[in-house]
């Protein structure tokens, strides 16, 4: 998803001693994994994962207690206890890992390692979305307290394509061996993990990655957290690196999905009434897949959203040009000004509905059915979005222009819990 960067100024991925579950100490590896922390649909999804196995990773990434401080301390105590009990153990030597995800339609392979951190201005790792300070602060305190990176970010780079060379060639050779672990999660994905131990293989990876830059596909808040924690340090050390999964999208293109909004305190009747004179509103027949098809057709012609919450669906499109001219920033590229997320936040949330972008008012939900269900149950409004095209994301990132937060969902995302990084072992 990115152009190559200057030689010797690109990506630097180093080995580390991964923390991994000991299979004999848990019910199954699948039962202790989780989606990334911000994809878990709470409370139902959290309770489901907690009950899957007493050692499920959500007890570390989403600990439950009355205060944030207690939650973070609880996560640290749980991690320490699991290490002492042998539920989790470090690998004996620092390695890079090859990670594979596969189902009947998708094959994705990449490298897990500790990536040298760099600010966006250096053009080595490019963000494409803004972040929320409160989320970064929470993740930072969790990382400080546990002394660990508990889940890898998903970063992409674009290799040469065609015949595998460099890192791609090492991956192809590595997957011919027996894996360190193999498991199938309940979403149908099969996961395998290998260690890259040969020094010549690691040199080949290092030389190849030094020619490339990467795009953050998933994990903007955690990357911002890595950078914040690095700035707190007074000497070089493990905080100068962050746990990532690097995927070459020339070989393994990612899927791009939308992230939907749940407007917790806005009944849909009030949301629809406020749109009068600002957008066209049409009732759309269900079921949900059919309504999403209507949204896709409308989105091909311009900004469009699908609202739900009253048992039906409402297509919202054709915004008033005067509204857009008044609310959308003029000092950004046209590709940014016409994003659905830009129009949603600038025109609808800020101007028409006047909803603060804060967790108590807006929830960000990846699953369309879950967004609709929660809106109906809470007498709220779900705003269903159409995915942004991958090339739009890439082009804006190259220009140094960030999209509104939670504009995209790239996947498949790495399963959380298969390999972690301790900041005290490096």
């Amino acid at each position: 998803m990115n152009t190559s960067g200057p030689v010797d100024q690109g990506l630097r991925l180093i080995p580390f001693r991964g923390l991994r579950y000991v299979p004999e100490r848990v019910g199954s590896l699948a039962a202790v994994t989780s989606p990334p922390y911000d994809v878990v649909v709470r409370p139902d999804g959290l309770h489901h994962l907690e009950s899957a196995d007493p050692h499920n990773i959500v007890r570390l990434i989403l600990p439950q207690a009355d205060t944030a401080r207690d939650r973070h301390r609880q996560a640290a105590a749980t991690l320490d206890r699991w290490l002492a009990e042998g539920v989790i153990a470090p690998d004996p030597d620092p390695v890079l890992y090859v990670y594979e995800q596969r189902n009947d339609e998708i094959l994705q392979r990449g490298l897990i390692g500790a990536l040298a951190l760099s600010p966006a201005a250096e053009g080595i790792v490019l963000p494409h979305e803004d972040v929320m300070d409160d989320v970064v602060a929470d993740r930072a305190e969790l990382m400080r307290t546990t002394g660990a990176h508990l889940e890898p970010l998903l970063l992409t780079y674009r290799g040469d394509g065609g015949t595998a060379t460099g890192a791609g060639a090492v991956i192809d050779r590595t997957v011919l061996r027996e894996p360190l672990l193999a498991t199938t999660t309940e979403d149908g994905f099969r996961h395998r993990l290998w260690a890259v131990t040969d020094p010549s293989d690691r040199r080949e990876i290092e030389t190849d990655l030094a020619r490339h830059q990467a795009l953050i596909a998933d994990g903007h808040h955690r990357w911002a957290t890595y950078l914040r924690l690095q700035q707190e340090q007074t000497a070089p050390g493990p905080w100068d690196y962050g746990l990532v999964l690097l995927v070459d999208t020339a070989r393994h293109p990612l899927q791009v999905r939308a992230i939907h909004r749940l407007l917790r305190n806005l009944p849909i009747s009030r949301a629809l009434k406020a749109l009068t004179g600002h957008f066209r509103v049409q009732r759309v027949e269900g079921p949900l897949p059919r309504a999403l098809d209507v949204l896709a057709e409308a989105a091909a012609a311009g900004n469009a959203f699908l609202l739900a919450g009253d048992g039906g669906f409402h297509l919202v499109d054709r915004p008033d040009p005067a509204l857009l001219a008044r609310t959308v920033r003029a000092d950004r590229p046209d590709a940014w000004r016409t994003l659905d997320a830009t129009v949603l936040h600038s025109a609808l949330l800020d101007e028409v509905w006047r909803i603060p972008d804060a967790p108590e008012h807006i929830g960000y939900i990846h699953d369309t059915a879950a967004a609709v269900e929660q809106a109906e149950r809470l007498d709220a409004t779900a705003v269903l979005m159409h995915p942004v095209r991958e090339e739009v994301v890439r082009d804006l990132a190259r220009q140094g222009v960030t999209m509104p937060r939670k504009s995209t969902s790239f996947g498949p995302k790495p399963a959380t819990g298969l390999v972690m990084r301790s900041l005290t072992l490096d």
Side-chain angles (χ1 to χ4, degrees), residues 9-29:
Q9 296 182 18
L11 303 168
R12 182 174 177 232
L13 193 70
I14 68 169
F16 69 101
R17 291 179 64 193
L19 297 180
R20 297 192 293 115
Y21 281 97
V22 178
E24 296 78 14
R25 298 301 306 275
V26 297
S28 72
L29 289 176

Side-chain angles (χ1 to χ4, degrees), residues 5-199:
V7 175
D8 299 327
Q9 296 182 18
L11 303 168
R12 182 174 177 232
L13 193 70
I14 68 169
F16 69 101
R17 291 179 64 193
L19 297 180
R20 297 192 293 115
Y21 281 97
V22 178
E24 296 78 14
R25 298 301 306 275
V26 297
S28 72
L29 289 176
V32 295
T33 64
S34 164
Y37 78 97
D38 57 340
V39 181
V40 176
V41 179
R42 290 180 278 187
D44 295 345
L46 179 64
H47 296 159
H48 171 71
L49 291 166
E50 285 182 331
S51 62
D53 188 284
H55 300 107
N56 189 281
I57 192 70
V58 293
R59 298 181 187 275
L60 301 182
I61 63 172
L62 291 172
Q64 300 300 293
D66 291 337
T67 69
R69 189 176 186 182
D70 287 344
R71 288 196 298 272
H72 302 140
R73 287 179 171 178
Q74 179 175 297
T78 300
L79 177 59
D80 289 345
R81 184 174 70 255
W82 290 354
L83 284 165
E85 294 172 350
V87 173
I88 291 174
D91 282 335
D93 300 301
V95 298
L96 296 177
Y97 298 89
V98 170
Y99 175 49
E100 176 188 276
Q101 296 162 273
R102 180 198 291 266
N103 65 11
D104 294 340
E105 300 174 352
I106 296 170
L107 170 63
Q108 179 171 290
R109 289 173 178 156
L111 292 164
I112 293 178
L115 185 69
L117 304 182
S118 58
E122 293 186 7
I124 298 172
V125 176
L126 302 178
H128 70 267
E129 289 185 357
D130 293 331
V131 297
M132 293 175 274
D133 286 342
D134 60 322
V135 177
V136 174
D138 179 76
R139 291 294 104 180
E141 187 57 31
L142 179 65
M143 289 184 198
R144 279 192 211 97
T145 309
T146 59
H149 293 160
L150 300 171
E151 44 188 338
L153 284 63
L154 175 60
L155 271 62
T156 70
Y157 70 101
R158 193 159 188 86
D160 301 326
T163 304
T165 58
V170 174
I171 290 172
D172 286 353
R173 293 195 298 269
T174 301
V175 298
L176 299 177
R177 306 198 309 261
E178 283 296 311
L180 293 173
L181 65 83
T183 191
T184 302
T185 46
E186 65 180 6
D187 59 4
F189 270 95
R190 301 183 291 279
H191 306 261
R192 295 196 292 174
L193 191 76
W194 295 262
V196 179
T197 57
D198 188 281

